[in-house]
């Protein structure tokens, strides 16, 4: 949608932008929690996460690479990569939204839409861990999966507000309309009539000198001769 005009419309645009901030910030936080969870999947007392896991009988989580628990296939690796990318895209989106709130940013709407879409895609791709070798013994959905689903949903709602809400005016870099040169409209010129010419007096006739008592004798009607001076 285009830029919103009017005080009421600007208030509505600001309210929509505040909701967008809340949804995107919440999605980034939950995306980080889902990434660090060691119970994305649970199986017989142990948990499997994106970057951490919980061993049988252990009360603490360990990073992959320890104790040899790192061979869950390329799908698990893909889930790990997209799990990192989702909050990164969301964080860059928040920076761009903050910059756009203060000043005008070129192509900000397109960039924000691009970032929120890729944040949703990457967050959804974390669920390919279900098809990896990490789940081999009757796995169940853990807390990390629920948090990841919630993060994806918040990215979706934030993207909806971002794309469908009107664009508000920036706070700091507004155009000062008073500084713009004002164009003064000049009144239209009034058409003037040409001077009246006496058709009875032939052009080229000499007027008598000032103070002279001579008279001009008009020629007869229809005559083309010049008037006689007496």
């Amino acid at each position: 949608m285009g830029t919103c005009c009017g005080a009421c419309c600007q208030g509505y645009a600001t309210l929509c932008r505040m909701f967008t901030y809340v949804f995107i910030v919440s999605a980034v936080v939950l995306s980080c929690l889902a990434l660090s969870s060691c119970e994305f999947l649970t199986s017989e007392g142990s948990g499997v996460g994106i970057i951490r896991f919980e061993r049988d009988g252990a009360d603490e989580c360990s990073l992959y690479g320890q104790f040899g628990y790192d061979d869950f296939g390329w799908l698990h690796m893909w889930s790990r990569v997209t799990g990192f990318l989702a909050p990164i895209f969301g964080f860059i989106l928040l920076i761009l939204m903050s910059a756009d709130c203060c000043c005008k940013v070129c192509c900000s709407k397109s960039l924000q839409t691009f970032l929120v879409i890729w944040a949703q895609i990457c967050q959804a791709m974390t669920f390919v861990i279900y098809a990896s070798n990490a789940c081999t013994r009757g796995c169940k959905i853990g807390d990390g999966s629920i948090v990841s689903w919630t993060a994806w949903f918040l990215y979706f709602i934030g993207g909806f507000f971002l794309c469908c809400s009107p664009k508000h005016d920036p706070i700091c870099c507004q155009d000062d309309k008073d500084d713009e040169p004002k164009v003064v409209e000049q009144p239209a010129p009034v058409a003037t009539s040409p001077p009246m010419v006496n058709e009875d007096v032939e052009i080229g006739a000499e007027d008598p000198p000032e103070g002279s008592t001579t008279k001009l004798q008009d020629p007869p009607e229809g005559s083309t001769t010049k008037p006689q001076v007496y």
Side-chain angles (χ1 to χ4, degrees), residues 1 4 7-17 164-166:
M1 298 182 67
C4 198
C8 182
C9 191
Q10 282 297 319
Y12 171 71
T14 303
L15 183 63
C16 291
R17 182 51 60 100
C164 298
S165 61

Side-chain angles (χ1 to χ4, degrees), residues 139-193:
C139 293
K140 298 180 181 179
I141 295 177
D143 295 337
S145 295
I146 298 175
V147 173
S148 186
W149 275 112
T150 307
W152 178 87
F153 180 73
L154 291 176
Y155 277 128
F156 176 79
I157 298 298
F160 174 79
F161 274 93
L162 184 65
C163 297
C164 298
S165 61
K167 182 177 177 60
H168 63 87
D169 291 334
I171 298 175
C172 301
C173 301
Q174 294 184 4
D175 295 334
D176 192 357
K177 297 182 180 180
D178 295 335
D179 295 339
E180 296 180 358
K182 297 182 179 180
V183 179
V184 179
E185 296 183 359
Q186 298 291 339
V190 180
T192 57
S193 58

Side-chain angles (χ1 to χ4, degrees), residues 27-141:
V28 171
V29 172
L30 292 179
S31 182
C32 293
L33 292 177
L35 178 65
S36 62
S37 174
C38 57
E39 292 185 350
F40 209 90
L41 298 172
T42 59
S43 176
E44 299 180 1
S46 62
V48 177
I50 297 176
I51 62 174
R52 300 196 302 171
F53 68 96
E54 184 182 14
R55 291 184 297 161
D56 296 339
D59 296 333
E60 61 182 10
C61 297
S62 303
L63 293 173
Y64 288 108
Q66 302 176 2
F67 310 103
Y69 291 90
D70 57 354
D71 188 16
F72 293 139
W74 69 273
L75 288 175
H76 182 230
M77 179 61 67
W78 183 250
S79 175
R80 190 182 305 178
V81 171
T82 55
F84 277 105
L85 289 177
I88 290 176
F89 282 128
F91 185 71
I92 297 175
L93 173 61
L94 290 175
I95 296 177
L96 186 59
M97 289 175 61
S98 301
D100 187 48
C101 183
C102 296
C103 296
K104 290 184 177 180
V105 180
C106 179
C107 305
S108 62
K109 195 79 171 190
S110 300
L111 292 175
Q112 293 175 28
T113 304
F114 173 83
L115 290 171
V116 74
I117 289 176
W118 274 103
Q120 294 178 53
I121 294 175
C122 290
Q123 192 64 45
M125 291 298 292
T126 58
F127 298 105
V128 298
I129 193 176
Y130 293 163
S132 67
N133 298 330
C135 184
T136 57
R137 296 178 295 174
C139 293
K140 298 180 181 179
I141 295 177

